């Protein structure tokens, strides 16, 4: 039961261009969405999040867009840099405001982003 | 910057043996979690822990698994009798109230 889906296992983008990573979800109870970045042999590190009351959140080169009616979110990275090469996980929670997320996060399978020079 | 630390980074064990994975969450965090990632698969939620008790657990977290916060700083995951399919990277995470999760670097568990 894939409640969070990342349909592209990998994505290759040229340095300086825009990277767009997509994520779809099926559980309408999800109200908080996060993107995590993971390098080999390291744990996931938080990148950016968005609450369901917003449709866009921006932090420097990273912007997350949420389309609730389509149950779709995307992460835009612009301009893409070599250090952005990593696996990106989309994650969702239904419990942002109930004390830290007792239900934990539901992760997608990840998209391996490769930035080419 | 405060971080979640996990030990050991690698653990090799024989099938049927008990293993304990250790984590030191960020000191002022109140919520603690274990996740795992089997090679090539997604990161999966195992259990969350708050106020010295399990808040939520997934189907994966069966009777072979247990968690403990033996003192004010450590958070442990015990697998009583390991199986081959328990081989995975195990991540500990912690969070403050209503905040994002911070993950440790993981313990790679290999069951032979």
């Amino acid at each position: 039961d894939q409640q969070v889906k990342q349909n592209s296992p990998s994505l290759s983008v040229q340095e300086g261009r825009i990277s767009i990573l997509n994520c779809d979800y099926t559980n309408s109870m999800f109200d908080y969405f996060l993107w995590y970045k993971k390098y080999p042999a390291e744990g996931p590190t938080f990148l950016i999040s968005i609450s369901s009351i917003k449709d866009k959140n921006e932090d420097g080169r990273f912007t997350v867009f949420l389309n609730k009616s389509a149950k779709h979110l995307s992460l835009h990275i612009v301009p893409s840099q070599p250090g952005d090469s990593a696996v990106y996980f989309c994650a969702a929670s239904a419990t942002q405001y109930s004390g830290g997320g007792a239900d934990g996060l539901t992760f997608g399978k990840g998209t391996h982003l490769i930035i080419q020079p | 910057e405060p971080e979640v630390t996990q030990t050991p980074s690698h653990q090799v064990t024989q099938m049927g043996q008990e293993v304990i994975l250790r984590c030191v969450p960020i000191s002022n965090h109140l919520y603690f979690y274990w996740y795992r990632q089997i090679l090539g698969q997604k990161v999966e939620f195992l259990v969350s822990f708050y106020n010295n008790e399990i808040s939520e657990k997934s189907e994966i977290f069966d009777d072979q698994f247990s968690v403990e916060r033996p003192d004010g700083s450590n958070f442990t995951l015990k697998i009583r009798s390991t199986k081959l399919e328990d081989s995975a990277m195990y991540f500990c995470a912690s969070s403050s109230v209503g905040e994002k999760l911070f993950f440790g670097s993981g313990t790679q568990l290999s069951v032979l």
Side-chain angles (χ1 to χ4, degrees):
Chain A
D1 176 26
Q2 276 190 280
Q3 296 188 64
V4 177
K5 301 177 190 178
Q6 293 177 258
N7 291 320
S8 299
S10 66
L11 175 68
S12 184
V13 175
Q14 217 166 10
E15 182 180 355
R17 308 293 285 265
I18 184 170
S19 296
I20 300 176
L21 296 101
N22 293 303
C23 177
D24 298 291
Y25 62 96
T26 57
N27 188 341
S28 56
M29 297 300 292
F30 288 146
D31 63 1
Y32 189 51
F33 304 90
L34 308 90
W35 284 94
Y36 278 83
K37 177 179 176 180
K38 185 181 180 303
Y39 293 117
E42 294 184 13
T45 54
F46 172 78
L47 200 54
I48 193 169
S49 63
I50 188 166
S51 162
S52 59
I53 61 174
K54 294 185 173 182
D55 54 20
K56 177 182 174 181
N57 189 25
E58 194 171 346
D59 184 2
R61 296 185 299 115
F62 303 93
T63 304
V64 56
F65 295 92
L66 175 63
N67 182 335
K68 281 180 293 184
S69 61
K71 294 192 175 68
H72 176 83
L73 62 153
S74 60
L75 174 69
H76 292 210
I77 306 173
V78 56
S80 301
Q81 298 174 353
D84 295 331
S85 294
V87 177
Y88 288 78
F89 291 99
C90 172
S93 170
T95 55
Q96 181 197 7
Y97 298 107
S98 67
D103 289 350
L105 296 174
T106 301
F107 281 85
K109 288 188 174 182
T111 297
H112 185 193
L113 177 64
I114 302 160
I115 305 301
Q116 296 182 334
Chain B
E1 185 172 313
E3 59 181 20
V4 176
T5 57
Q6 289 186 244
T7 54
S9 55
H10 292 87
Q11 175 85 51
V12 181
T13 189
Q14 295 289 328
M15 191 169 57
Q17 295 294 306
E18 174 185 286
V19 292
I20 298 176
L21 309 183
R22 301 179 192 280
C23 170
V24 179
I26 293 172
S27 60
N28 62 343
H29 283 182
L30 301 175
Y31 294 85
F32 314 109
Y33 311 82
W34 283 100
Y35 286 78
R36 78 173 185 189
Q37 185 181 25
I38 295 171
L39 186 64
Q41 298 187 24
K42 65 179 180 179
V43 177
E44 300 174 293
F45 169 74
L46 294 179
V47 66
S48 61
F49 192 86
Y50 170 73
N51 200 26
N52 286 319
E53 61 182 21
I54 290 174
S55 302
E56 199 71 34
K57 59 183 181 180
S58 71
E59 292 175 354
I60 302 166
F61 195 88
D62 62 22
D63 292 343
Q64 294 299 313
F65 290 87
S66 62
V67 289
E68 199 177 33
R69 191 157 159 80
D71 52 43
S73 59
N74 290 285
F75 180 52
T76 61
L77 174 69
K78 182 192 290 186
I79 308 175
R80 194 168 306 126
S81 177
T82 50
K83 302 188 285 280
L84 295 175
E85 53 265 37
D86 294 328
S87 295
M89 179 72 88
Y90 287 80
F91 293 106
C92 173
S94 69
S95 72
S96 184
V97 176
E99 291 288 327
K100 58 187 180 286
L101 274 64
F102 290 82
F103 285 83
S105 297
T107 294
Q108 179 64 56
L109 176 65
S110 298
V111 182
L112 305 179

